[in-house]
Amino acid sequence: MDEILDLLRQNARLSVEDIAAMTKKTTDEVKQIIKKLEDDGVILKYAAIVNPEKDKVAKDKVVAEIQIQVQPQREHGFDAIADRIYRFPQVKSLYLMSGGYDLKVLIEGDNLKDVALFVSEKLSTLEGVRSTKTNFVLKTYKENDIVYVEDERDRRESVQS
C-alpha cells in the first residue's frame, strides 16, 4: 500500500498497469488498494501542479501569508476558529503552528485591496482573533518539492588568469 501511495505521490497519472508492473502486483490488486486509499480518505484528490509564473491567471493573483494569534476556545481549542477560517474561499491553506503565533493562513486574492479587505473585514473581526500579521509572497522558488524557477546561470567554466 505504501509503495503504491509513493508512486502516486510522484506521478498521479501512472496507469494501474504501470503501477502493477512496478510493484509486481496484479492490476486487480492495485485497483483494490487504490480504491481503499480513496475510500479511507488517504487519497483526497488528484491534481496538476502548475507553475504560477507561467499560468496567466495565477500570475496575476496576490498570495499572502497571514500569521494569526488567537484565543483558543474552551473544550474546542483551536479547532473551532480554524473551522471558521478555512471555510472562506480565499483561504488556500491553514496550519496550526508552534512558536510566536497560532495559525498560519495562505490566502489568494485578485489584488492587494482584496487581500487587505479580507484581513481587515473577515479575519481580524472573527471572535477569538487577537492579532494578525500579513506577509505577501513576491516569488515562489520551490513549493512541495517542486522547483519553479529555471536555472539560467551560464554553465561555461570560468577562465581565471
Side-chain angles (χ1 to χ4, degrees):
M1 193 176 291
D2 289 342
E3 185 180 19
I4 291 173
L5 195 54
D6 287 341
L7 289 170
L8 289 172
R9 275 188 190 112
Q10 293 300 313
N11 183 358
R13 293 184 70 186
L14 285 173
S15 69
V16 170
E17 293 77 18
D18 288 341
I19 294 170
M22 297 165 113
T23 60
K24 297 184 173 62
K25 295 186 183 318
T26 67
T27 55
D28 285 340
E29 288 174 311
V30 170
K31 285 179 187 176
Q32 288 174 356
I33 290 169
I34 291 173
K35 180 161 180 15
K36 180 165 177 34
L37 290 167
E38 293 169 345
D39 291 346
D40 290 348
V42 176
I43 295 176
L44 299 174
K45 182 179 180 179
Y46 298 92
I49 298 171
V50 178
N51 185 336
E53 294 296 318
K54 295 186 178 190
D55 176 14
K56 291 177 185 174
V57 174
K59 192 174 185 176
D60 292 337
K61 297 283 185 180
V62 174
V63 178
E65 174 196 82
I66 301 147
Q67 300 168 358
I68 308 173
Q69 289 184 329
V70 299
Q71 179 67 47
Q73 293 182 351
R74 179 174 287 148
E75 298 181 27
H76 298 286
F78 295 101
D79 293 344
I81 194 158
D83 181 68
R84 286 184 290 181
I85 292 171
Y86 68 64
R87 293 180 185 279
F88 288 112
Q90 297 90 333
V91 174
K92 301 304 172 192
S93 300
L94 175 62
Y95 307 94
L96 178 62
M97 305 296 290
S98 65
Y101 56 96
D102 303 307
L103 298 171
K104 177 172 95 168
V105 183
L106 292 175
I107 68 162
E108 191 175 85
D110 289 331
N111 52 53
L112 290 172
K113 185 176 182 180
D114 282 349
V115 172
L117 287 174
F118 174 75
V119 173
S120 65
E121 295 178 0
K122 304 282 190 206
L123 265 187
S124 60
T125 60
L126 288 174
E127 183 180 336
V129 171
R130 294 188 318 198
S131 70
T132 64
K133 179 180 177 185
T134 304
N135 300 294
F136 291 95
V137 176
L138 302 178
K139 183 174 183 175
T140 301
Y141 293 98
K142 182 177 180 177
E143 182 177 56
N144 295 322
D145 213 26
I146 305 295
V147 176
Y148 289 116
V149 293
E150 296 175 18
D151 192 356
E152 297 175 1
R153 291 181 286 169
D154 190 347
R155 293 275 179 205
R156 293 178 288 182
E157 291 184 50
S158 62
V159 178
Q160 297 182 6
S161 40

